Amino acid sequence: MNTLLDPARGSDTSSVSKPVPSPRRRGSRLPRMGLYALLIAGALEALVPVLWVLSGSLQNTEQLYKGTDPIPHPFEWGNFATAWNEGGFSEYLPNSLLYTTAAVVGILIIASLAGYALARIEFPGRGAVVAAILVIMIIPLPASFIAQYKLLITLGLANTRIGYILVLIAGGLPISILIMRGFFASQPKELEEAAAIDGASLLGTFWRIILPLARPGLIAVAVIQAMQVWNEYLMGLVLFNDSSLMPVQRGLTNFVSAESPQQQILLAASLIAVLPIVVFYAIAQRHIISGLSAGALK
């Protein structure tokens, strides 16, 4: 076998074939590009309605119904002022902030305690409790409106903020308890055993060790329930006789009228109603992913 030696280095300089990209590796790029194209198409499909609402909220009635130009000219910024004043958002928006904050805090406290108990404490009927929670999740919320309303009347809490908040907490507990239970179950028991050896009580272990580790799960539950509570309207319509107690979604119904359609004002009011929860979700969205992937749904 003939070899060529480099006279300067004395080494074998026989030609070595360069690696050629295999057809399989080239072909693997096509499915990836197709996946990216599908994701981009899905993102655009979700983004187009939002852009349409934004464009419509800045147009006058004539431009909106013609629908020939997606870019408003001129921008009708007064639509937002009209929506704020005529929709009563100065009254409804603080109501929703109060309801959302109180309900989410209540859900986090109860769901974390119940989830930890179901994950770590052995007691008779624990499986039955989990099964009952799953059954409750299957029942549609509107099916329980009459029973909840009668219960609130019996307790003297009908047409009150406290009664509405309690109903919101009850509606958000089943899924929240299961999420927190799965999160706590995924945590190593050695931490609790070490705390018990050091003399910590069960409640102290939960408060000082387990709960701080559950922060991603707590944030995930908080974001999910905040979105749910903020968008709630039907239960408020059933429970409240006083319009001043209604949540922010009540303001949108002021512009739904067949006699005097104000679609551009309704679109502006919709943006006002969803802006706080969209900002909150944008800030905390990464915590939802980290919280659920850390064990919340295991």
Side-chain angles (χ1 to χ4, degrees), residues 83 86-89 92 233 247-255 266 269:
E86 296 185 7
F89 285 103
Y92 297 136
Y233 171 69
V248 70
Q249 308 304 326
R250 172 65 177 82
L252 302 181
T253 61
N254 293 335
F255 306 105
L266 176 59

Side-chain angles (χ1 to χ4, degrees), residues 5-48:
L5 296 179
D6 188 346
R9 302 176 58 183
S11 59
D12 186 1
T13 59
S14 60
S15 59
V16 179
S17 60
K18 296 182 179 180
V20 179
S22 63
R24 181 180 302 176
R25 183 174 299 178
R26 282 189 213 152
S28 64
R29 296 179 182 177
L30 295 178
R32 183 176 299 179
M33 293 176 62
L35 177 61
Y36 289 158
L38 183 62
L39 293 175
I40 293 173
L44 291 176
E45 183 182 3
L47 189 61
V48 166

Side-chain angles (χ1 to χ4, degrees), residues 32-230:
R32 183 176 299 179
M33 293 176 62
L35 177 61
Y36 289 158
L38 183 62
L39 293 175
I40 293 173
L44 291 176
E45 183 182 3
L47 189 61
V48 166
V50 178
L51 295 177
W52 183 86
V53 171
L54 179 60
S55 173
S57 65
L58 294 172
Q59 298 181 20
N60 55 39
T61 305
E62 183 180 358
Q63 291 176 347
L64 182 63
Y65 282 96
K66 283 184 177 179
T68 56
D69 193 351
I71 301 178
H73 55 280
F75 291 99
E76 298 290 343
W77 296 106
N79 292 341
F80 290 93
T82 303
W84 180 272
N85 295 325
E86 296 185 7
F89 285 103
S90 60
E91 186 175 35
Y92 297 136
L93 198 60
N95 287 343
S96 283
L97 290 174
L98 172 63
Y99 299 148
T100 303
T101 303
V104 169
V105 170
I107 289 172
L108 289 178
I109 294 174
I110 299 174
S112 59
L113 291 171
Y116 182 70
L118 292 174
R120 286 292 191 258
I121 302 176
E122 297 286 346
F123 60 89
R126 185 175 67 169
V129 173
V130 176
I133 294 175
L134 292 174
V135 171
I136 293 173
M137 292 176 57
I138 298 174
I139 302 174
L141 287 179
S144 61
F145 281 178
I146 297 177
Q148 291 175 340
Y149 185 65
K150 289 185 175 180
L151 178 61
L152 292 179
I153 291 177
T154 304
L155 298 176
L157 296 176
N159 196 37
T160 63
R161 300 182 190 274
I162 297 178
Y164 183 59
I165 291 173
L166 291 177
V167 170
L168 294 175
I169 292 175
L173 278 178
I175 182 63
S176 301
I177 290 175
L178 291 181
I179 291 176
M180 295 309 301
R181 172 181 175 269
F183 191 89
F184 289 132
S186 67
Q187 301 301 314
K189 292 184 178 180
E190 288 77 8
L191 295 174
E192 300 162 71
E193 294 172 355
I197 293 175
D198 292 339
S201 63
L202 184 62
L203 185 59
T205 302
F206 169 77
W207 181 256
R208 298 178 182 177
I209 299 177
I210 302 301
L211 197 59
L213 293 176
R215 181 183 175 188
L218 292 172
I219 295 177
V221 170
V223 174
I224 294 172
Q225 292 304 324
M227 295 176 61
Q228 182 72 24
V229 173
W230 187 269

